[in-house]
Amino acid sequence: GIYLALQYSDYGAKLANQNEDGDEEYLNHPYAIGVLVSSVSFLIIFRANYGYQRYWEACTTVHKLMSKWMDAAMFCAVFHLQSAHFKDMRPPSFFDHDELNQMDLTRDRERESKARLHVAASASADSLDPNVEDCRRAAMMQSMRSESSKSLRRRRFSKSINSTASTRNFNRSESESASAEYCDETHLLGPPRMDGGWGMLYPNEINGKPTATYYEMPEVGKTPQPPDGKGFASTQGGRTPSLFLQELAHLSSLLCAVALTTLRNDLDDVESPLDVYIPGQPWPEADPMNLPKDVKMQAYQNGRVTRNLLYLLGIDQTKSSRTIYNAARPMLVLGGVSDNEIAFLQRARGPYAKTQLVWSWLSDFVIREHLAGSMGNVGPPIMSRIVQFLSDGILSYNHARKIMFTPFPFPHAQLSAFFVLMMMIAIPFLMDQYANESWLGASLTFLTVTCLAGLHEVARELENPFRNAPNDVPLCTLLAFYNEALVTMFAGFHPDAYWDKAAILKKRDETLGDIQEENPPPVPDLTEEEKEGEANNTAAPVPPVESSTIPQSADDVQTLKELREMIESQALKIKELQERVEKKNTSQTAS
């Protein structure tokens, strides 16, 4: 509008050097306006760049504090499973079974074809024969790898970490009933423990059958219930997770929720609600514009036109509007929040005090349980790392508070806002000097002013990334991710960690026995003397050996070896006693 007014006025003709009467011109060159535009552009771009830096630093600090507190919680959960209470459900240790390393076993998880297993059995038999050449064994191992790669490429379905309608559901594996297939002669894989080992800990007090937490133990003739969607927080197995883990997850979730809600709102007289988080519920919307209709009506009480007008004027983020918005999107806590916790939080004055209070609750719980023995035999130096993680998290929280509490410098912000208004007047004068067509000059004026004013508004939005909705950091969604990560503490141990050593050895011995029967060792030819000696020995039949003395596994072989050594030592002692008795009798006779 200003440009068109200049274009069709005498004042615009003077500026455009189009005065035919020889009147004095106001501007001899457009660089006079260009210098002003360049200076203001630098001022606004500097503010926008600084706003981006504040925004990304806020994202970094939030993720860092969540990462540190999550590390502390996870370490506590892992150490807790090493305590004496869980010795009956812990998987076997490779350290206690070092002899398995001599049997060419693998820990590959993929199911392979029978051709691959036959080649592996032949290789296992050759590995026990010291006369087999190394080149032959290397060729056979290469054949095994080739067969393995072919069998892996022939999978009929893909394995995805996300459960969708197009992926296979692995909640109930078809091979659970066929546990013997896991105990082949090459793979050190036992039947899977889909309950994470919890079913080995507490049986049902009524019928004595095993019970788990999130996994329903299979029973003959009973159809298992479909998953309830709560993941590892489910109680379909008949029991709730460990009380220690439940309390740890709640305190960690409460600490993160209080920290994030004080970043979003640091006023004591403004409501900052907390609510209960139910595992498996839909993720909170990261974009406030995509909120459900009922939540959006609660968060934004004004109409769309009024809201957009207030946003353009920069007066939409009032104390009342922030309170309504925060109440519509509460921070969700695992297990909810008790009235007593709310009373203590309300008694603490200031956002930093509230966060520090919950931090002290979590730290006290960790130290107290460690001294009581809940962390097993973990040494104090290792436990100090958990305290360090908690401290690092509160340090990142204070960095985030620095961004939230310290605003952009007020003089710079006022100068930027003032000169944006000046550009709306100065740029039309500049375009009037360059544009020969009215429509072109008006278009360039509109685009230039919109660019500078837009950069200024973007800078205003990014300067406070925790408060300026809808362009704020999605704290509610990040907290939901954090809560679901805490729920994985209830998973227990790895499902493939329960390999059965006895079944592996037994299966291997049976396989090697079958191979030796198919390929018996050659019998050497006997000489005439050996044939005569064998004929003479036929008169004295050798008594049959009891089947119990035949070694059935590597453990039995070791036991027979120890027994033979003990018998030999006893024979030496008996021989020494006989010699002493003979010497004594000889001395008495001589006397």
Side-chain angles (χ1 to χ4, degrees), residues 26-208:
Y26 290 96
L27 291 175
N28 293 324
H29 202 280
Y31 282 178
I33 302 297
V35 171
L36 177 62
V37 174
S38 300
S39 302
V40 175
S41 300
F42 177 79
L43 185 70
I44 295 175
I45 292 174
F46 178 82
R47 184 180 184 184
N49 183 44
Y50 193 75
Y52 273 113
Q53 292 180 13
R54 289 171 62 90
Y55 186 87
W56 289 116
E57 186 179 357
C59 294
T60 301
T61 53
V62 169
H63 283 82
K64 185 177 291 185
L65 71 88
M66 295 173 65
S67 173
K68 292 297 183 180
W69 288 339
M70 179 61 67
D71 288 345
M74 283 297 175
F75 271 113
C76 290
V78 171
F79 294 162
H80 176 62
L81 293 179
Q82 312 309 315
S83 62
H85 294 309
F86 303 100
K87 63 180 180 179
D88 294 333
M89 65 174 285
R90 278 200 291 268
S93 173
F94 289 106
F95 179 81
D96 297 332
H97 304 283
D98 185 64
E99 68 277 2
L100 296 177
N101 293 317
Q102 305 175 8
M103 303 175 66
D104 295 331
L105 300 174
T106 68
R107 287 285 290 167
D108 296 341
R109 265 52 171 194
E110 292 287 353
R111 300 290 299 277
E112 299 171 347
S113 61
K114 294 183 178 180
R116 148 76 171 158
L117 298 180
H118 178 72
V119 175
S122 300
S124 300
D126 291 342
S127 64
L128 298 181
D129 188 359
N131 298 324
V132 177
E133 297 180 357
D134 295 339
C135 58
R136 179 184 174 188
R137 184 176 180 183
M140 191 164 295
M141 296 301 294
Q142 180 66 25
S143 174
M144 292 165 57
R145 287 191 290 268
S146 176
E147 291 291 336
S148 176
S149 61
K150 292 179 181 179
S151 64
L152 298 185
R153 285 195 294 268
R154 290 196 296 265
R155 293 192 310 189
R156 293 174 296 175
F157 54 86
S158 61
K159 297 181 180 180
S160 173
I161 61 174
N162 296 324
S163 177
T164 62
S166 60
T167 59
R168 187 178 180 185
N169 188 357
F170 288 88
N171 289 325
R172 290 281 180 179
S173 178
E174 297 177 356
S175 58
E176 287 181 21
S177 59
S179 60
E181 297 183 6
Y182 286 86
C183 302
D184 57 58
E185 59 273 12
T186 59
H187 285 62
L188 189 61
L189 288 176
R193 296 291 310 190
M194 300 304 294
D195 60 345
W198 295 110
M200 305 169 61
L201 195 60
Y202 300 114
N204 191 310
E205 297 179 355
I206 299 177
N207 53 23

Side-chain angles (χ1 to χ4, degrees), residues 199-329:
M200 305 169 61
L201 195 60
Y202 300 114
N204 191 310
E205 297 179 355
I206 299 177
N207 53 23
K209 296 182 178 180
T211 57
T213 54
Y214 55 85
Y215 180 78
E216 183 181 3
M217 303 298 292
E219 296 184 15
V220 179
K222 181 179 179 182
T223 303
Q225 299 179 0
D228 56 5
K230 294 183 179 180
F232 295 110
S234 174
T235 57
Q236 285 186 302
R239 288 192 176 274
T240 57
S242 168
L243 294 177
F244 173 89
L245 298 179
Q246 292 186 51
E247 183 71 9
L248 178 63
H250 167 71
L251 291 178
S252 183
S253 177
L254 179 63
L255 173 60
C256 189
V258 171
L260 296 184
T261 195
T262 54
L263 292 176
R264 188 175 64 173
N265 173 33
D266 61 339
L267 301 177
D268 288 336
D269 56 344
V270 175
E271 184 179 359
S272 296
L274 302 175
D275 206 344
V276 59
Y277 180 81
I278 300 176
Q281 72 179 49
W283 301 113
E285 286 290 345
D287 187 0
M289 296 294 100
N290 296 330
L291 292 174
K293 187 176 180 180
D294 55 341
V295 179
K296 187 180 294 186
M297 292 178 61
Q298 180 183 358
Y300 304 105
Q301 296 184 351
N302 297 323
R304 178 177 298 180
V305 177
T306 304
R307 187 167 68 250
N308 292 335
L309 180 60
L310 294 176
Y311 178 78
L312 291 176
L313 296 176
I315 57 176
D316 59 324
Q317 297 295 333
T318 61
K319 180 178 178 180
S320 175
S321 63
R322 285 168 49 198
T323 303
I324 297 173
Y325 176 79
N326 294 340
R329 305 193 71 187

Side-chain angles (χ1 to χ4, degrees), residues 99 102-103 128 501 505 509 512 516 547-566:
E99 68 277 2
Q102 305 175 8
M103 303 175 66
L128 298 181
K501 171 179 174 291
L505 294 178
D509 292 339
L512 295 181
Q516 292 176 358
S547 59
S548 59
T549 60
I550 300 176
Q552 300 296 324
S553 64
D555 289 343
D556 294 338
V557 174
Q558 187 69 18
T559 304
L560 291 176
K561 183 178 179 181
E562 294 176 355
L563 181 61
R564 187 182 298 108
E565 293 176 353
M566 183 180 66

